[in-house]
Amino acid sequence: MHHPPPSHRRTLAALTVIAALLGGLGLTPAAHAADRGTGFGTWAPLSRTGWHGSMRVGDVHTYCIHPGLPVATDPTTDRGVSSDVNGLSPQQLVSINHLVSTYGQTDDPVQAAGVGWAVKAIVDRDTTLHSWGYTGDSFPEAIDYIMRRASPENSVAVQDRAVHYLAEAESIAVPRVGGVLAVTTSDDDPTRGTVTADVDPSATGTLHLENAVFADSGQGDRADVRAGQSYDIIAPASSSDDGRPYSVRVTGTFSVRSAAIHYFSTPGQQESAGPAGPTTFTLSAEDAEPRLVRFSPRIETTARIEDGRFIDRVSVSTADGVWPRHADGSFVAIAATADVYRTGAYPAESTEIPSNLDPVMRLDLRTDPRTGPGAYEVTSEHLPGPGVYTAVWRVDRADQDADALAHLPLDYLWQERFASPAQTEQLTPTPPPSDPTSSPTPPPAAAIPPAPVAFPSAAPTALAMTGMSAASLGGAGGAAAAAIGIGIIAWSVARRRSTPRI
């Protein structure tokens, strides 16, 4: 007959007293008789061979945790999952839980016997080796000392399993419960960052994001999260409904192997261990500083010329529809600039401004922090003169105030095409004004042609002598030539009259 060691007797006595007190209060946990499980030996409180394997409590295989005490054949009480069992250390508890959870729920008697021997050795190796009369210091020999009587043909197999299980269980580290989640923001893009879980290496879990998604999946939830691995996230500006700064929040649920057992006790007999489920804990984190909404302003323009001025209607918006605000609700102000060019004819539209052109004036716009996006009208000074005018608007990060810089990408520049139809207008010359006091100039009198003159036959010769052709008479010198000709003819006639006739 085997007697429990004094310390175990005291423990059992204390448990009996506690059970009695709980019973007096009507709080005694339900007790049920344990059944023979899987293993070898004699199912009885005391016997020559003992029982080496599991005992069943309901559907659970449990294993004795106090070598040398009677087998728990009487009603057994379920004490629930506990991490405080008669002074067992966290290392002992996590090792036992690993074995009864991983290998102990079995109908294989060799496997169950191996688990039983390893569990008892974890709790009290010395008592496990010597409570049956073995005097040496070899764990396999102590097993063989008993198994040669209980099941000699399975002795070697049980020894091998027990030695393997014991080594494996003792290598299981006590997991760290809890940890830290970290959220980072990329320096060059507030919509990018990472989430990392600093938890026990054995922990597995899930993550849930708010105001962000995982970059590789586009989803806000992720399973099978591992310790120390960083996961890229995207936190779009649209996460902020009104453009104010926003924060990414992450919640994680993780599980680790429990340094605990499902504890069963039987007054005056054994205590046993069943599998305890994993220990679950939650972690949460959020951005250390809110993320500023980063955006890309866009401009649509329509120009006209009135009263010698270039007038531009400028509609300012953003690609994703979210215009950033400051924490006080005011809109981030953006500066836009247009260079106005003058040409003699309508230029061809292009992405590049011709290198031979210089601007003749500049237009400036700053959005109103009270209204943000919308339509603005910008009017130039008087244009320098007639010509074709075209404006090219741009929004350049280098032109912005300090409070707007953080909301724009580092290399941000938006610029219109040169000579776009909506931005090209012509200023025509102004006709000279009329004088209402002056009288209208009468039309010139019609020229009266001279009376036809009968020329003698000698006229052609006389005309030839002047060096002019007859055709030149109709020209500018025609009148003068005609007068000379008439004079010559008259002189010739007079001379003939005065000459004496023979």
Side-chain angles (χ1 to χ4, degrees):
M1 186 177 199
H2 300 284
H3 299 284
S7 61
H8 292 159
R9 287 198 296 270
R10 287 194 295 270
T11 298
L12 291 172
L15 288 172
T16 301
V17 171
I18 292 172
L21 291 173
L22 290 173
L25 295 173
L27 300 175
T28 305
H32 303 279
D35 298 322
R36 174 175 175 167
T38 303
F40 303 102
T42 303
W43 181 252
L46 298 172
S47 67
R48 177 172 175 271
T49 60
W51 175 251
H52 306 281
S54 69
M55 68 177 193
R56 293 179 67 92
V57 181
D59 295 330
V60 179
H61 289 269
T62 70
Y63 291 82
C64 298
I65 57 175
H66 290 300
L69 293 184
V71 174
T73 58
D74 291 343
T76 298
T77 301
D78 184 346
R79 304 290 179 181
V81 175
S82 177
S83 58
D84 183 12
V85 181
N86 296 336
L88 294 180
S89 69
Q91 180 62 65
Q92 289 173 304
L93 290 170
V94 76
S95 297
I96 294 170
N97 188 36
H98 169 69
L99 291 183
V100 300
S101 300
T102 306
Y103 304 110
Q105 306 307 300
T106 179
D107 292 328
D108 180 352
V110 172
Q111 183 167 312
V115 171
W117 278 99
V119 167
K120 290 193 288 272
I122 290 169
V123 174
D124 187 343
R125 180 186 176 92
D126 186 67
T127 302
T128 299
L129 264 59
H130 303 124
S131 61
W132 297 95
Y134 173 71
T135 59
D137 196 35
S138 169
F139 184 47
E141 288 180 3
I143 295 172
D144 183 61
Y145 185 84
I146 301 300
M147 291 303 299
R148 279 183 298 177
R149 296 194 295 271
S151 181
E153 67 277 16
N154 292 299
S155 178
V156 173
V158 172
Q159 293 173 51
D160 292 342
R161 294 287 185 94
V163 169
H164 171 77
Y165 292 157
L166 180 59
E168 181 178 315
E170 290 178 337
S171 70
I172 300 296
V174 177
R176 174 167 58 109
V177 177
V180 176
L181 291 179
V183 184
T184 68
T185 303
S186 298
D187 292 335
D188 59 347
D189 185 353
T191 66
R192 298 279 177 166
T194 62
V195 171
T196 306
D198 178 12
V199 292
D200 189 83
S202 68
T204 58
T206 61
L207 292 175
H208 172 72
L209 295 174
E210 184 179 343
N211 292 335
V213 295
F214 290 100
D216 59 351
S217 67
Q219 303 296 316
D221 294 284
R222 188 177 205 92
D224 196 27
V225 176
R226 296 291 177 176
Q229 183 171 343
S230 292
Y231 300 95
D232 293 330
I233 63 171
I234 300 175
S238 58
S239 295
S240 173
D241 293 336
D242 61 358
R244 284 182 172 86
Y246 63 103
S247 295
V248 171
R249 286 174 283 276
V250 57
T251 303
T253 302
F254 297 90
S255 296
V256 293
R257 184 181 291 111
S258 294
I261 61 172
H262 194 159
Y263 177 39
F264 298 89
S265 66
T266 306
Q269 296 178 338
Q270 270 286 356
E271 294 171 293
S272 60
T279 296
T280 301
F281 56 92
T282 60
L283 302 173
S284 61
E286 66 179 312
D287 287 325
E289 296 290 338
R291 297 173 189 244
L292 300 179
V293 171
R294 183 166 286 184
F295 75 137
S296 298
R298 294 288 185 269
I299 288 179
E300 292 183 3
T301 54
T302 303
R304 69 184 189 276
I305 292 178
E306 290 183 4
D307 299 329
R309 299 176 185 270
F310 194 91
I311 303 174
D312 226 334
R313 180 180 173 84
V314 183
S315 296
V316 189
S317 61
T318 181
D320 58 8
V322 179
W323 192 283
R325 297 176 186 249
H326 298 296
D328 63 3
S330 62
F331 289 94
V332 172
I334 291 296
T337 302
D339 288 322
V340 182
Y341 300 88
R342 177 188 184 191
T343 55
Y346 278 91
E349 185 178 359
S350 67
T351 57
E352 300 292 334
I353 299 171
S355 59
N356 62 335
L357 292 182
D358 292 320
V360 296
M361 63 177 54
R362 170 174 163 167
L363 304 177
D364 290 296
L365 167 67
R366 178 180 171 81
T367 60
D368 190 335
R370 295 170 299 176
T371 59
Y376 297 83
E377 193 163 275
V378 183
T379 302
S380 75
E381 298 177 351
H382 281 286
L383 297 172
V388 176
Y389 290 88
T390 185
V392 179
W393 283 91
R394 68 178 180 273
V395 180
D396 192 342
R397 189 176 190 274
D399 297 336
Q400 308 306 315
D401 294 339
D403 66 342
L405 295 179
H407 299 274
L408 296 169
L410 295 179
D411 57 351
Y412 180 77
L413 171 64
W414 180 89
Q415 183 167 297
E416 278 185 312
R417 290 171 60 85
F418 173 75
S420 65
Q423 281 297 99
T424 305
E425 291 289 321
Q426 184 177 26
L427 178 64
T428 58
T430 303
S434 61
D435 186 357
T437 63
S438 62
S439 300
T441 302
I448 301 175
V453 180
F455 292 101
S457 60
T461 304
L463 288 172
M465 292 175 62
T466 68
M468 294 184 291
S469 66
S472 66
L473 290 175
I484 294 172
I486 293 171
I488 293 172
I489 293 171
W491 175 80
S492 176
V493 170
R495 187 180 178 201
R496 281 199 302 268
R497 290 176 178 174
S498 62
T499 301
R501 294 179 179 272
I502 298 177

